[in-house]
Amino acid sequence: MSQEEIEVEAIGIEVSSQPIELYKVLKIANAVSGGGEAKMAISEGYVAVNGELEQRKRRKMYDGDLVEFNEEYYVVLCDQPVQEPSDEPVKKKAEKPAAKKPQSKNANKGSKLKKSASKKANKGSQNKPSEPKAVNNADQSTGRKLMSF
């Protein structure tokens, strides 16, 4: 079996780093209007890479790879060396304590009503010492309130 060489005119797609995912090459080339359209075209079998049908949307593309789509040819061009992810684990940033979620408007109204009702109840008993405040039963590591059933 001998392979026949065919000369085609291809549009050069310059990328800043390699590898790059196939659907992104189609987006950069403006062959599609968006990533969703690119992924659909690839999965439905309208895209060939280096002469073979390709249905993997995130196929890694390197300098010199040829993409065929919609009767157009695109070649990936990149001057940068290949940057594969390393096997070393990435250090995570120190986790910040969870921020309090803002309450909805209705929740604030309910708390205001409770406060005004408690003010009226406490108005008659101004000479009595105030009750001790509730103890914060939150877990110190997560900030979540403890519940018992």
Side-chain angles (χ1 to χ4, degrees), residues 101-132:
K101 292 183 181 179
Q103 294 180 348
S104 66
K105 292 180 181 179
N106 293 339
N108 287 338
K109 287 181 182 177
S111 62
K112 287 180 183 176
L113 293 175
K114 288 178 185 175
K115 287 180 184 177
S116 62
S118 64
K119 283 182 183 178
K120 289 178 183 175
N122 288 337
K123 208 171 195 178
S125 60
Q126 290 177 357
N127 295 338
K128 292 182 181 177
S130 62
E131 295 179 14

Side-chain angles (χ1 to χ4, degrees), residues 73-139:
Y73 293 90
Y74 306 94
V75 64
V76 177
L77 304 173
C78 185
D79 294 336
Q80 301 298 318
V82 177
Q83 298 175 347
E84 289 290 336
S86 63
D87 293 335
E88 298 175 17
V90 179
K91 292 182 180 179
K92 292 183 179 180
K93 294 181 181 178
E95 292 184 19
K96 296 179 182 178
K100 292 183 180 180
K101 292 183 181 179
Q103 294 180 348
S104 66
K105 292 180 181 179
N106 293 339
N108 287 338
K109 287 181 182 177
S111 62
K112 287 180 183 176
L113 293 175
K114 288 178 185 175
K115 287 180 184 177
S116 62
S118 64
K119 283 182 183 178
K120 289 178 183 175
N122 288 337
K123 208 171 195 178
S125 60
Q126 290 177 357
N127 295 338
K128 292 182 181 177
S130 62
E131 295 179 14
K133 294 183 179 179
V135 178
N136 185 3
N137 291 334
D139 182 10

Side-chain angles (χ1 to χ4, degrees), residues 48-87:
V49 176
N50 298 330
E52 294 183 13
L53 181 67
E54 184 59 67
Q55 292 185 310
R56 294 177 291 169
K57 303 168 198 94
R58 295 182 178 265
R59 181 197 196 278
K60 292 182 179 181
M61 304 293 293
Y62 297 92
D63 183 44
D65 282 344
L66 185 69
V67 179
E68 181 184 356
F69 174 67
N70 205 18
E71 299 179 6
E72 293 283 342
Y73 293 90
Y74 306 94
V75 64
V76 177
L77 304 173
C78 185
D79 294 336
Q80 301 298 318
V82 177
Q83 298 175 347
E84 289 290 336
S86 63
D87 293 335

Side-chain angles (χ1 to χ4, degrees), residues 23-42:
Y23 81 96
K24 291 180 182 178
V25 172
L26 294 175
K27 282 177 44 178
I28 293 169
N30 286 327
V32 293
S33 61
E37 185 180 340
K39 289 177 180 181
M40 185 176 289
I42 295 166

